[in-house]
Amino acid sequence: MPSYEIGTIRERLANWVEASRPYAASGCVASYIPELAKSPHHALGISLLHASGESATAGDCGNRFTMQSISKVFTLILALMDNGEEEVFRKVGMEPTGDNFNSMLKLELVRPGIPFNPMINAGAITISSLIRGSSPEEVYRRILDFLRVLAGNQRLSCDEEVYRSESETGNLNRSIAYFLKQNGVLSGNVEDVLDVYFRHCSIQADCSDLARMALVLACGGLDPQTGTRLIPRRYVQIAKTFMTTCGMYNASGEFAIQVGLPAKSGVSGGILALVPGQYGIGVFGPALNDKGNSQAGVHLLEVISRELDWSMF
Amino acid sequence: MPSYEIGTIRERLANWVEASRPYAASGCVASYIPELAKSPHHALGISLLHASGESATAGDCGNRFTMQSISKVFTLILALMDNGEEEVFRKVGMEPTGDNFNSMLKLELVRPGIPFNPMINAGAITISSLIRGSSPEEVYRRILDFLRVLAGNQRLSCDEEVYRSESETGNLNRSIAYFLKQNGVLSGNVEDVLDVYFRHCSIQADCSDLARMALVLACGGLDPQTGTRLIPRRYVQIAKTFMTTCGMYNASGEFAIQVGLPAKSGVSGGILALVPGQYGIGVFGPALNDKGNSQAGVHLLEVISRELDWSMF
Amino acid sequence: MPSYEIGTIRERLANWVEASRPYAASGCVASYIPELAKSPHHALGISLLHASGESATAGDCGNRFTMQSISKVFTLILALMDNGEEEVFRKVGMEPTGDNFNSMLKLELVRPGIPFNPMINAGAITISSLIRGSSPEEVYRRILDFLRVLAGNQRLSCDEEVYRSESETGNLNRSIAYFLKQNGVLSGNVEDVLDVYFRHCSIQADCSDLARMALVLACGGLDPQTGTRLIPRRYVQIAKTFMTTCGMYNASGEFAIQVGLPAKSGVSGGILALVPGQYGIGVFGPALNDKGNSQAGVHLLEVISRELDWSMF
Amino acid sequence: MPSYEIGTIRERLANWVEASRPYAASGCVASYIPELAKSPHHALGISLLHASGESATAGDCGNRFTMQSISKVFTLILALMDNGEEEVFRKVGMEPTGDNFNSMLKLELVRPGIPFNPMINAGAITISSLIRGSSPEEVYRRILDFLRVLAGNQRLSCDEEVYRSESETGNLNRSIAYFLKQNGVLSGNVEDVLDVYFRHCSIQADCSDLARMALVLACGGLDPQTGTRLIPRRYVQIAKTFMTTCGMYNASGEFAIQVGLPAKSGVSGGILALVPGQYGIGVFGPALNDKGNSQAGVHLLEVISRELDWSMF
């Protein structure tokens, strides 16, 4: 009975957040650009939104942060809507890797050189090149509009400072993109593709925004309020599968074992997760563990999933 | 309504099998030992067993074959029952890899040298070393007894010829085992551990046996007939998660996208799969694709999962 | 007695060339840019210049070709003259690799991420960034002037078409350069460094030019005509060592066994080699073997070295 | 004038040794078996033997130590004498690698799976399998007899304790050998081949023994006293080339730059080096640097080579 469960959650959520917050101490806030380094080390917030419209929040939910890799879930969906499965999976694989999210090693060892999956940087950059638009501006605009609809929040926008820093310091992503270009995986102008990629990673959201986007996925692609189909069910299925097998960098396997929910994390400390058919979840905790996931955020989701027996396995 | 669904399945299963059988043509029967090379190239059989006890079969279901890597699911469970989670995951990781199932590369790159997960050979050999018993014979006996209970079939036994061939030609596994020994991951005598490993890979079963073992997992560890708990629920959850993220070698990601069910394949052409709460499934089709999975068998599971909307994602 | 030997060489050189020319048949002319693809497949020419000033030539010696990787020897020397050993070897290693010349794999595996040696692309791009000059034009100009002095040929110049093609298609080198930038190995503007690199690879020469440059190295850095020191002896020693251990891509070990002379090859089919104290050698044969070295050219050097017992080992 | 030079050497050698000895402080004595761990950390000795018969020694020259990897030079020569070049190089490559001496990574990446060169463990184990003999005992006996002749010392023998320890703990070498067996590179019984390998690595020598063996190589394969040919000149050439390109593990490139002499090191702290046509050299200094070479020994050779201008480049 969700109405009963949401009551339990409301009652205990603040306690769970406070029990998980100390884990932030052993994590590190991302510092490769000054904008991220400013994030409050001990922040931890969570927002849950039920399909019924009921919600629960606790901790530092007001904070806004850039979506970073979380946006990869939605650019994948948009690329699928623009091109279909067959075309997308000619350019990007379906396999998880045990490697670091920005490893170039995997790029070289796989033949014929396509990225392993759309959740690693190489895959997500390729996905950026597949989204339709007559200019990088238009491509980005389509991504932003899509996210605004999913979040039910027309005010979502790009954090211009983060975008500029990402673009200026993004030499590893540049290196990956030119490698993809060399291998014929990337069509179009490399810097244009990277511009789209850096921009969509820099879109700002808060926990409620993530929860609402996640709830659309939890509802199989339907708008939870109007019932309108926003995403074809099959593409939601694909997205949820990738979130399960490779959504949490090279700790995806452990997350599947310990939490058991489709999820995607970002380097800014955000996590988007969902309980199929029931909840959309947004978490923010900027101190990261050595796999690049929110230290306290992952712990919080472990506690909740265990307490409420949410693992899908 | 399962009773309705099983009717549909019975009606259409033979057609699905015959539609998938031609895919065997482009596959290759494993030939690294003479015993496997003798398998009938175009064989394809499937057995489904519902929690209610109703079943459906089609195609070449009478064939017996060695479990090979499928046994890794159950040695993992036994090792967990013997040692608990903490101890097991000190020796074996939780992450999928995009690499070939017998790759040594991954052994070297991961620090501190533990196998990525219990489904790759390095991991399964380590798991073999963790199962209790005063001698290799006793360890093997415990594995066999466990499988007999799960299959509800006291006649399960080792194919002695396959075992001898595996043992004689298993130099890559020997190489892996000595590497693990060097790294302190493997305790005990290397040849003893390998003996257990080669033996449990050589246990013979048919599609019905696999379906029954799978049904125990689908029922969360309970005996489907008596309701007796055979496996702690948490260990079933762990096994199902590994089957989902790394059960189909380096095509696990694609299988999750295209089929969406926990499954484990073996080089003899068997696949054990399950629909949580509902079905245990055994498939046999010895012609393998380039990832080492049954060519026609994977196609058959794709068709059934799509037709019956079985993906868990 | 050189004067005796040069007589033998003159007598037999044409025969040796014609005996080696057929080996070109099994090679492939580089085709990644149209300008290289136009090279005459069966061309083979050689020029030898003795310290005494006597010379011998045979085959297609009139052909001009771009120096490509051969230029890496001289940019290394210039970087050493500009910065000293200590500074250069903080940025580039001294070890041969068994890998392909443009492998990114090695970049990732080496810690802390510096290129293995100055003869692979990653190393040579780094070297380009170390040569002094207030602009890319000036850096390039200094390299060109240096080569002109060594070749004793003021007409050496850049092949503008090759340069443009290299620059337009050089995405792998771009990928490498941005990776080096990310790792803090490359200072300065990436595109500027690449511009210098693409330019010096595109300097045109013929066999006589290579022979003269090589003779300066064979003479320990002295101008063979005037006796003027052009390069400090220690830097010649370093260059000769690298030519011996890593001058022929991932066939350097085999070349050392079969020929035993310091040498450097380029993708246009040129080889610069030397007999210490005696000869500078230039070879041209554009059909390449699978390691990227001139197929017929390597064979020709094997024959000559064996006949004249030239191996330095 | 050698007679002059040897005088200089005798005068200054003790000083050079004492100046290099402190470098041992930052090294580590090998400790993977107890017998090596007992080596005196600060020991440093050197013996030079001139083709004329004159010699010079300094430091701790009386110490005896196991030859370890130094023996690889001579098993290679014996395998060449038994099989010829063509046969040997069908099983072992000629390329240096930048990797750790016992890396399995390289084994996997090279196609078709043969070891990179005879100086890495995988290559040397393969070489052991190529030496003729009707039993492991006879193969080993032939190696020992060969070394006794080269050293002019009939008392050379195996350190039985080291041999037993190497054999008992040599799981990485076992892993490599089974991998080679799997790839069809190794013929014969794996444990027999390993037995030969562990035995020849455990042959004891002192600095004078190494110097005498090296002098045979420096003299092109002739016995320096009698002028009798002990090794065909071509095989000496091959051995010297491998010593130059891959004799000092993954510091071979640096050693070529800084010392410039053919040399081979062993994990017990020995180095065998030579000045072509002039000197055989034996060094002992058990404290190793992070590449596995004698810390003080390498420094001592750098000093001597620089002072006497011995680099062959």
Side-chain angles (χ1 to χ4, degrees), chain C residues 125-184:
Chain C
I125 292 170
T126 305
I127 289 295
S128 289
S129 78
L130 295 175
I131 298 173
R132 301 246 165 97
S134 59
S135 67
E137 291 72 29
E138 190 185 324
V139 173
Y140 165 69
R141 188 73 216 178
R142 291 189 60 229
I143 297 170
L144 181 64
D145 287 346
F146 184 52
L147 289 174
R148 283 178 171 177
V149 169
L150 297 176
N153 179 354
Q154 285 301 312
R155 285 159 309 147
L156 282 193
S157 65
C158 179
D159 181 325
E160 293 292 329
E161 276 183 65
V162 169
Y163 158 69
R164 266 193 301 273
S165 282
E166 296 277 5
S167 177
E168 276 161 26
T169 64
N171 290 313
L172 184 56
N173 286 320
R174 252 180 206 96
S175 177
I176 290 170
Y178 280 107
F179 191 84
L180 293 167
K181 180 76 183 175
Q182 172 75 16
N183 282 279

Coordinates of all heavy atoms in Angstrom, one line a residue, chain C residues 125-184:
Chain C
I125 N 55.2 14.5 -30.1 CA 54.4 15.7 -29.9 C 54.8 16.4 -28.7 O 54.9 17.7 -28.7 CB 52.9 15.2 -29.8 CG1 52.4 14.7 -31.2 CG2 52.0 16.4 -29.4 CD1 51.0 14.0 -31.2
T126 N 55.1 15.7 -27.6 CA 55.6 16.4 -26.4 C 57.0 17.1 -26.7 O 57.2 18.2 -26.3 CB 55.9 15.3 -25.3 OG1 54.7 14.6 -25.1 CG2 56.3 16.0 -24.0
I127 N 57.8 16.4 -27.5 CA 59.1 17.0 -27.9 C 58.9 18.3 -28.6 O 59.5 19.4 -28.4 CB 59.9 16.1 -28.7 CG1 60.5 14.9 -27.8 CG2 61.1 16.8 -29.4 CD1 61.5 15.3 -26.7
S128 N 57.9 18.3 -29.5 CA 57.6 19.5 -30.3 C 57.2 20.7 -29.4 O 57.5 21.9 -29.7 CB 56.4 19.3 -31.2 OG 56.7 18.4 -32.3
S129 N 56.6 20.4 -28.3 CA 56.2 21.5 -27.3 C 57.4 22.0 -26.6 O 57.3 23.0 -25.9 CB 55.1 20.9 -26.4 OG 55.7 20.2 -25.3
L130 N 58.5 21.3 -26.6 CA 59.7 21.8 -25.8 C 60.7 22.6 -26.6 O 61.6 23.1 -26.1 CB 60.4 20.5 -25.3 CG 59.6 19.7 -24.3 CD1 60.4 18.4 -23.9 CD2 59.3 20.5 -23.0
I131 N 60.5 22.7 -27.9 CA 61.4 23.4 -28.8 C 61.1 24.9 -28.7 O 59.9 25.3 -28.8 CB 61.4 22.9 -30.2 CG1 61.8 21.5 -30.2 CG2 62.3 23.8 -31.1 CD1 61.7 20.8 -31.6
R132 N 62.1 25.7 -28.4 CA 61.9 27.1 -28.2 C 61.5 27.9 -29.4 O 61.8 27.6 -30.6 CB 63.3 27.8 -27.7 CG 63.8 27.1 -26.4 CD 63.8 28.1 -25.2 NE 64.0 27.3 -24.0 CZ 65.1 27.1 -23.4 NH1 66.2 27.7 -23.8 NH2 65.2 26.4 -22.3
G133 N 60.8 29.0 -29.2 CA 60.3 29.9 -30.2 C 59.1 30.7 -29.7 O 58.3 30.2 -28.9
S134 N 59.0 31.9 -30.2 CA 57.9 32.8 -29.7 C 56.6 32.5 -30.4 O 55.6 33.0 -30.0 CB 58.3 34.2 -29.9 OG 58.5 34.5 -31.3
S135 N 56.6 31.7 -31.4 CA 55.4 31.3 -32.1 C 55.5 30.0 -32.8 O 56.7 29.5 -33.0 CB 55.1 32.4 -33.2 OG 56.1 32.3 -34.2
P136 N 54.4 29.3 -33.1 CA 54.6 28.0 -33.8 C 55.4 28.2 -35.1 O 56.2 27.3 -35.4 CB 53.1 27.7 -34.2 CG 52.3 28.4 -33.3 CD 53.0 29.6 -32.9
E137 N 55.3 29.3 -35.8 CA 56.0 29.6 -37.0 C 57.5 29.6 -36.7 O 58.3 29.0 -37.4 CB 55.6 30.9 -37.6 CG 54.2 31.0 -38.2 CD 53.1 31.0 -37.2 OE1 53.4 31.5 -36.0 OE2 52.1 30.4 -37.4
E138 N 57.9 30.3 -35.6 CA 59.3 30.4 -35.3 C 59.9 29.0 -34.9 O 61.0 28.7 -35.3 CB 59.5 31.4 -34.1 CG 61.0 31.7 -33.9 CD 61.3 32.6 -32.7 OE1 60.4 33.5 -32.5 OE2 62.3 32.4 -32.0
V139 N 59.1 28.3 -34.1 CA 59.5 26.9 -33.7 C 59.8 26.1 -35.0 O 60.8 25.5 -35.1 CB 58.5 26.2 -32.8 CG1 58.9 24.8 -32.5 CG2 58.3 27.0 -31.5
Y140 N 58.8 26.1 -35.9 CA 59.0 25.3 -37.1 C 60.2 25.8 -37.9 O 61.0 25.0 -38.4 CB 57.7 25.4 -37.9 CG 57.9 24.9 -39.3 CD1 58.2 23.6 -39.6 CD2 58.0 25.8 -40.4 CE1 58.5 23.1 -40.9 CE2 58.2 25.4 -41.7 CZ 58.5 24.0 -41.9 OH 58.8 23.6 -43.2
R141 N 60.3 27.1 -38.0 CA 61.4 27.7 -38.7 C 62.8 27.2 -38.2 O 63.7 26.9 -38.9 CB 61.3 29.2 -38.6 CG 62.3 30.0 -39.5 CD 61.8 29.9 -41.0 NE 63.0 29.9 -41.8 CZ 63.0 29.8 -43.2 NH1 61.8 29.7 -43.8 NH2 64.1 29.7 -43.9
R142 N 62.9 27.1 -36.9 CA 64.1 26.7 -36.2 C 64.4 25.2 -36.6 O 65.5 24.8 -36.8 CB 64.1 26.9 -34.7 CG 64.1 28.3 -34.3 CD 64.3 28.5 -32.8 NE 65.5 27.9 -32.3 CZ 65.6 27.0 -31.3 NH1 64.6 26.7 -30.6 NH2 66.8 26.5 -31.0
I143 N 63.3 24.4 -36.6 CA 63.5 23.0 -37.0 C 64.0 22.9 -38.4 O 64.9 22.2 -38.8 CB 62.2 22.2 -36.8 CG1 61.8 22.2 -35.3 CG2 62.3 20.8 -37.3 CD1 60.4 21.7 -35.1
L144 N 63.3 23.6 -39.3 CA 63.6 23.6 -40.7 C 65.1 24.0 -41.0 O 65.9 23.4 -41.7 CB 62.7 24.5 -41.5 CG 62.9 24.5 -43.0 CD1 62.7 23.2 -43.7 CD2 62.0 25.6 -43.7
D145 N 65.5 25.1 -40.3 CA 66.8 25.6 -40.5 C 67.9 24.6 -40.0 O 68.9 24.4 -40.6 CB 67.0 26.9 -39.7 CG 66.3 28.1 -40.3 OD1 65.9 28.0 -41.5 OD2 66.1 29.1 -39.7
F146 N 67.5 23.9 -38.9 CA 68.4 22.9 -38.4 C 68.6 21.8 -39.4 O 69.7 21.3 -39.7 CB 67.8 22.4 -37.0 CG 68.7 21.4 -36.3 CD1 70.0 21.7 -36.0 CD2 68.2 20.2 -35.9 CE1 70.8 20.8 -35.3 CE2 68.9 19.3 -35.1 CZ 70.3 19.6 -34.9
L147 N 67.5 21.3 -39.9 CA 67.6 20.2 -40.9 C 68.3 20.7 -42.2 O 69.0 19.9 -42.8 CB 66.1 19.8 -41.3 CG 65.4 19.0 -40.2 CD1 64.0 18.7 -40.6 CD2 66.1 17.7 -39.8
R148 N 68.1 21.9 -42.6 CA 68.8 22.4 -43.8 C 70.3 22.4 -43.6 O 71.1 22.0 -44.4 CB 68.4 23.9 -44.1 CG 67.0 23.9 -44.7 CD 66.6 25.4 -45.0 NE 65.4 25.4 -45.8 CZ 64.8 26.5 -46.1 NH1 65.2 27.7 -45.7 NH2 63.7 26.5 -46.9
V149 N 70.8 22.8 -42.4 CA 72.2 22.7 -42.1 C 72.7 21.3 -42.1 O 73.7 21.0 -42.7 CB 72.5 23.4 -40.7 CG1 73.9 23.1 -40.2 CG2 72.2 24.9 -40.8
L150 N 72.0 20.4 -41.4 CA 72.4 19.0 -41.4 C 72.5 18.4 -42.7 O 73.4 17.6 -43.1 CB 71.5 18.2 -40.4 CG 71.5 18.6 -39.0 CD1 70.4 17.8 -38.2 CD2 72.8 18.5 -38.3
A151 N 71.5 18.7 -43.6 CA 71.4 18.1 -44.9 C 72.3 18.9 -45.9 O 72.6 18.4 -47.0 CB 70.0 18.2 -45.4
G152 N 72.9 20.0 -45.4 CA 73.6 20.8 -46.3 C 72.8 21.2 -47.6 O 73.3 21.2 -48.7
N153 N 71.5 21.5 -47.3 CA 70.6 21.7 -48.4 C 69.6 22.8 -48.0 O 68.7 22.6 -47.3 CB 69.9 20.4 -48.8 CG 68.9 20.7 -50.0 OD1 68.7 21.8 -50.4 ND2 68.3 19.6 -50.5
Q154 N 69.9 24.0 -48.5 CA 69.1 25.2 -48.1 C 67.7 25.1 -48.8 O 66.8 25.9 -48.4 CB 69.8 26.5 -48.5 CG 70.9 26.8 -47.5 CD 70.4 27.0 -46.1 OE1 69.4 27.6 -45.8 NE2 71.1 26.3 -45.1
R155 N 67.5 24.2 -49.7 CA 66.2 24.2 -50.4 C 65.2 23.3 -49.7 O 64.0 23.2 -50.1 CB 66.4 23.8 -51.8 CG 66.9 24.9 -52.7 CD 67.5 24.3 -53.9 NE 68.4 23.2 -53.5 CZ 68.6 22.1 -54.2 NH1 68.0 21.9 -55.4 NH2 69.5 21.2 -53.8
L156 N 65.6 22.5 -48.6 CA 64.6 21.7 -47.9 C 63.4 22.6 -47.5 O 63.5 23.7 -47.1 CB 65.2 21.2 -46.6 CG 66.1 20.0 -46.6 CD1 66.3 19.5 -45.2 CD2 65.6 18.9 -47.5
S157 N 62.2 22.1 -47.7 CA 61.0 22.8 -47.4 C 59.8 21.9 -47.1 O 59.9 20.7 -47.4 CB 60.6 23.8 -48.5 OG 60.3 23.1 -49.6
C158 N 58.8 22.5 -46.6 CA 57.6 21.7 -46.2 C 56.7 21.4 -47.5 O 56.6 22.3 -48.3 CB 56.8 22.6 -45.2 SG 55.3 21.8 -44.7
D159 N 56.2 20.2 -47.6 CA 55.2 19.9 -48.6 C 53.9 20.4 -48.1 O 53.3 19.7 -47.3 CB 55.2 18.4 -48.8 CG 54.3 18.0 -49.9 OD1 53.2 18.6 -50.1 OD2 54.6 17.0 -50.7
E160 N 53.4 21.5 -48.6 CA 52.2 22.2 -48.1 C 51.0 21.3 -48.2 O 50.1 21.3 -47.3 CB 52.0 23.5 -48.8 CG 53.1 24.6 -48.5 CD 53.0 25.0 -47.0 OE1 52.0 25.1 -46.4 OE2 54.1 25.4 -46.5
E161 N 50.9 20.5 -49.3 CA 49.7 19.7 -49.4 C 49.7 18.6 -48.4 O 48.6 18.3 -47.8 CB 49.7 19.1 -50.8 CG 49.0 20.0 -51.9 CD 48.9 19.4 -53.2 OE1 48.2 18.4 -53.3 OE2 49.7 19.8 -54.1
V162 N 50.8 17.9 -48.2 CA 50.9 16.9 -47.2 C 50.6 17.5 -45.8 O 49.7 17.0 -45.0 CB 52.3 16.2 -47.1 CG1 52.4 15.3 -45.9 CG2 52.5 15.4 -48.4
Y163 N 51.2 18.6 -45.5 CA 50.9 19.3 -44.2 C 49.4 19.6 -44.0 O 48.9 19.3 -42.9 CB 51.7 20.6 -44.2 CG 51.1 21.6 -43.2 CD1 51.2 21.4 -41.8 CD2 50.5 22.8 -43.6 CE1 50.7 22.3 -40.9 CE2 50.0 23.7 -42.7 CZ 50.1 23.5 -41.4 OH 49.6 24.4 -40.5
R164 N 48.8 20.1 -45.0 CA 47.3 20.4 -44.9 C 46.5 19.1 -44.6 O 45.7 19.0 -43.8 CB 46.8 21.1 -46.1 CG 46.8 22.7 -45.9 CD 46.0 23.4 -47.0 NE 46.5 23.0 -48.3 CZ 47.5 23.7 -48.9 NH1 48.1 24.7 -48.3 NH2 47.9 23.3 -50.1
S165 N 46.9 18.1 -45.4 CA 46.1 16.8 -45.2 C 46.4 16.2 -43.8 O 45.5 15.7 -43.2 CB 46.6 15.8 -46.3 OG 46.0 16.1 -47.5
E166 N 47.7 16.2 -43.4 CA 48.0 15.7 -42.1 C 47.2 16.4 -41.0 O 46.6 15.8 -40.1 CB 49.5 15.8 -41.8 CG 50.4 15.0 -42.7 CD 50.6 13.6 -42.3 OE1 49.9 13.1 -41.4 OE2 51.4 12.9 -43.0
S167 N 47.2 17.7 -41.2 CA 46.5 18.5 -40.2 C 45.0 18.3 -40.2 O 44.4 18.2 -39.1 CB 46.8 20.0 -40.5 OG 46.1 20.8 -39.5
E168 N 44.4 18.1 -41.4 CA 43.0 17.9 -41.4 C 42.6 16.5 -40.9 O 41.5 16.4 -40.4 CB 42.5 18.1 -42.9 CG 42.2 19.5 -43.3 CD 42.3 19.7 -44.8 OE1 42.0 18.7 -45.5 OE2 42.5 20.8 -45.2
T169 N 43.4 15.5 -41.2 CA 43.0 14.2 -40.8 C 43.6 13.7 -39.5 O 43.4 12.5 -39.1 CB 43.4 13.2 -42.0 OG1 44.8 13.2 -42.0 CG2 42.8 13.6 -43.3
G170 N 44.4 14.5 -38.9 CA 45.3 14.0 -37.8 C 44.5 13.9 -36.5 O 45.0 14.3 -35.4
N171 N 43.3 13.2 -36.5 CA 42.5 13.2 -35.3 C 43.1 12.3 -34.2 O 42.9 12.5 -33.0 CB 41.1 12.8 -35.6 CG 40.4 13.9 -36.4 OD1 40.4 15.0 -36.0 ND2 39.8 13.5 -37.5
L172 N 43.8 11.3 -34.6 CA 44.5 10.4 -33.6 C 45.5 11.2 -32.9 O 45.6 11.2 -31.6 CB 45.0 9.2 -34.2 CG 45.6 8.2 -33.2 CD1 44.6 7.8 -32.1 CD2 46.1 6.9 -33.9
N173 N 46.3 12.0 -33.6 CA 47.3 12.8 -33.0 C 46.7 13.9 -32.1 O 47.2 14.2 -31.0 CB 48.3 13.4 -34.0 CG 49.2 12.4 -34.6 OD1 49.7 11.5 -33.8 ND2 49.5 12.4 -35.9
R174 N 45.6 14.4 -32.6 CA 44.8 15.4 -31.7 C 44.4 14.7 -30.4 O 44.5 15.3 -29.4 CB 43.6 15.9 -32.5 CG 43.7 17.3 -33.0 CD 42.6 17.8 -33.7 NE 43.2 18.9 -34.6 CZ 43.6 18.7 -35.8 NH1 43.4 17.6 -36.4 NH2 44.2 19.7 -36.5
S175 N 43.9 13.5 -30.6 CA 43.4 12.8 -29.4 C 44.6 12.6 -28.4 O 44.4 12.8 -27.2 CB 42.8 11.4 -29.9 OG 42.4 10.6 -28.8
I176 N 45.7 12.1 -28.9 CA 46.9 12.0 -28.1 C 47.3 13.3 -27.4 O 47.6 13.3 -26.2 CB 48.1 11.4 -29.0 CG1 47.8 9.9 -29.4 CG2 49.4 11.5 -28.2 CD1 48.7 9.4 -30.4
A177 N 47.3 14.3 -28.2 CA 47.8 15.6 -27.7 C 46.9 16.1 -26.6 O 47.4 16.6 -25.5 CB 47.9 16.7 -28.8
Y178 N 45.6 16.0 -26.7 CA 44.7 16.4 -25.7 C 44.8 15.5 -24.4 O 44.6 16.0 -23.3 CB 43.2 16.5 -26.2 CG 42.9 17.7 -27.0 CD1 42.8 17.7 -28.3 CD2 42.8 19.0 -26.3 CE1 42.5 18.9 -29.1 CE2 42.6 20.1 -27.0 CZ 42.4 20.1 -28.4 OH 42.2 21.2 -29.1
F179 N 45.1 14.3 -24.7 CA 45.4 13.4 -23.5 C 46.6 13.8 -22.8 O 46.6 13.9 -21.5 CB 45.5 12.0 -24.0 CG 45.5 10.9 -22.9 CD1 44.3 10.5 -22.4 CD2 46.7 10.5 -22.4 CE1 44.3 9.5 -21.3 CE2 46.7 9.5 -21.3 CZ 45.5 9.1 -20.8
L180 N 47.7 14.2 -23.5 CA 48.9 14.7 -22.9 C 48.6 16.0 -22.1 O 49.2 16.3 -21.1 CB 50.0 14.9 -23.9 CG 50.5 13.6 -24.6 CD1 51.3 13.9 -25.8 CD2 51.3 12.8 -23.6
K181 N 47.8 16.9 -22.8 CA 47.4 18.1 -22.1 C 46.7 17.9 -20.8 O 47.1 18.5 -19.8 CB 46.5 18.9 -23.1 CG 46.1 20.3 -22.6 CD 47.2 21.3 -22.7 CE 46.8 22.6 -22.1 NZ 47.9 23.6 -22.1
Q182 N 45.8 16.9 -20.8 CA 45.0 16.6 -19.6 C 46.0 16.1 -18.5 O 45.7 16.4 -17.3 CB 44.1 15.4 -20.0 CG 43.3 14.8 -18.8 CD 42.2 15.7 -18.3 OE1 41.8 16.6 -18.9 NE2 41.8 15.4 -17.1
N183 N 47.0 15.4 -18.9 CA 48.0 14.9 -17.9 C 49.1 15.8 -17.5 O 50.0 15.5 -16.8 CB 48.6 13.6 -18.4 CG 47.6 12.4 -18.3 OD1 47.5 11.8 -17.3 ND2 46.9 12.1 -19.4
G184 N 49.0 17.0 -18.0 CA 49.9 18.0 -17.7 C 51.3 17.8 -18.3 O 52.3 18.5 -17.9

